[in-house]
Amino acid sequence: MDDLSFRLITEFAAPIALVIVAFFTGRFLEHRHFRDLREREAINRGFLTVTFEYEPSDGRVETIGLMMGSVVVSVDHFKRFLAGLRNIVGGRIKAYETILDRGRREAVLRMQAAARDAGCDGVINVRLETSQLANGRANNGTAGVEVLAFGTGVRLPGSANRGTGPAGLTRPAVPAP
Amino acid sequence: MLLSNIEEVPGKRIVEFYGIVTGSTVRAKNVGRDIMAGLKNIVGGELKGYTELLEESRKQAIERMVTQAESVGANAVVNVRFSTSSVAQGAAELFAYGTAVRVD
């Protein structure tokens, strides 16, 4: 009897408890992270961050160098469990959407922070790359997803954050061979 | 050494091209980090150990690319790209490449 109850605990109760713990902790951490992201994004709103080659028409820019920000994120046990269920019927897996959203926004914020530290006024030609990390333990699926944000950090002539709008935009001239 | 991920270096003029330069590194996760990440995997969110590991590795790949660029006499690398691939279970290759140029 004792042996049976021990087996029940290890085989059913423990994984279920883990999923419940994961649900509450994961949800708490996610809410906190989203709040943190919103606050930092509000601060960075004026920081020039564009996905194309931007050069203001009224002056020369100075290149500071490559700016990067990266983060490895993973979903919690509860969401993994939900996604597993969702896989049966197919359709949208919301649990995985939020984790990728968190990862991308965090990576961009880190890149912006790196650019600020390096004295840039903006980052141009920003690219986002996502790659899956394989796990050493074969049965456990993925270890996480890495998101990398990178772009060219530039200093604009004159004051910081000048000309952040699309107005006055020109394509840079083709460099002489 | 100036790095940019555009076909040019904004504010400078390219005077000479030296061809493709590359840098790569293959890294495996260590056991300590793996255990910590395994625990963190339960509640989800950022896996700091892996973030740092990949950041270090990428830095090294870039360093190797820059060393190669210096050896051919370049002073900038333009159009830098990254690629990550899992070569084996628990190991990842981080690869950086770009075009070595001289700017003035």
Side-chain angles (χ1 to χ4, degrees), chain B residues 3-82:
Chain B
L3 300 178
S4 99
N5 71 333
I6 313 174
E7 302 97 76
E8 47 140 20
V9 178
K12 291 196 190 299
R13 201 170 62 90
I14 294 173
V15 290
E16 205 169 346
F17 288 92
Y18 296 99
I20 297 171
V21 285
T22 62
S24 86
T25 177
V26 178
R27 289 288 181 97
K29 307 170 295 190
N30 79 37
V31 180
R33 274 174 167 160
D34 215 14
I35 291 168
M36 283 309 293
L39 290 177
K40 192 71 210 289
N41 233 334
I42 296 168
V43 295
E46 183 183 1
L47 309 175
K48 280 213 177 68
Y50 288 170
T51 306
E52 282 163 20
L53 178 75
L54 286 169
E55 224 161 73
E56 281 165 26
S57 314
R58 190 164 286 118
K59 220 168 265 173
Q60 193 179 31
I62 293 172
E63 253 165 48
R64 288 180 177 169
M65 181 183 72
V66 166
T67 311
Q68 202 188 334
E70 276 166 356
S71 72
V72 294
N75 64 359
V77 182
V78 295
N79 219 0
V80 175
R81 299 266 180 273
F82 295 105

Side-chain angles (χ1 to χ4, degrees), chain A residues 22 26 53 60-61 63 65-66 68 70 72-77 80 110 124-125 129 134-135 143 146 152 172 176, chain B residues 2-11 13-14 29 41-47 51 54-55 58 62 82 89:
Chain A
E53 298 160 28
R60 288 168 67 82
V61 294
T63 302
L66 204 64
M68 288 181 290
S70 71
V72 177
V73 286
S74 81
V75 293
D76 61 57
H77 263 37
R80 203 168 292 133
R110 285 185 185 179
I124 62 177
N125 204 28
E129 255 174 44
N135 200 317
E146 197 214 12
T152 305
Chain B
L2 273 173
L3 300 178
S4 99
N5 71 333
I6 313 174
E7 302 97 76
E8 47 140 20
V9 178
R13 201 170 62 90
I14 294 173
K29 307 170 295 190
N41 233 334
I42 296 168
V43 295
E46 183 183 1
L47 309 175
T51 306
L54 286 169
E55 224 161 73
R58 190 164 286 118
I62 293 172
F82 295 105
Q89 287 273 300

Side-chain angles (χ1 to χ4, degrees), chain B residues 88-99:
Chain B
Q89 287 273 300
E93 192 211 16
L94 290 132
F95 182 52
Y97 60 106
T99 307

Side-chain angles (χ1 to χ4, degrees), chain A residues 36-104:
Chain A
D36 183 48
L37 284 174
R38 279 194 297 272
E39 278 167 15
R40 285 153 68 205
E41 276 169 356
I43 295 167
N44 276 356
R45 196 137 295 152
F47 195 71
L48 175 75
T49 310
V50 294
T51 56
F52 48 85
E53 298 160 28
Y54 170 80
E55 211 163 279
S57 54
D58 54 346
R60 288 168 67 82
V61 294
E62 186 193 342
T63 302
I64 306 297
L66 204 64
M67 298 298 145
M68 288 181 290
S70 71
V71 64
V72 177
V73 286
S74 81
V75 293
D76 61 57
H77 263 37
F78 177 73
K79 289 190 166 179
R80 203 168 292 133
F81 173 71
L82 271 190
L85 290 182
R86 186 45 117 173
N87 257 335
I88 299 167
V89 292
R92 182 179 171 194
I93 306 178
K94 224 179 152 186
Y96 283 175
E97 289 175 357
T98 57
I99 196 71
L100 286 166
D101 185 36
R102 282 167 72 184
R104 297 220 169 92

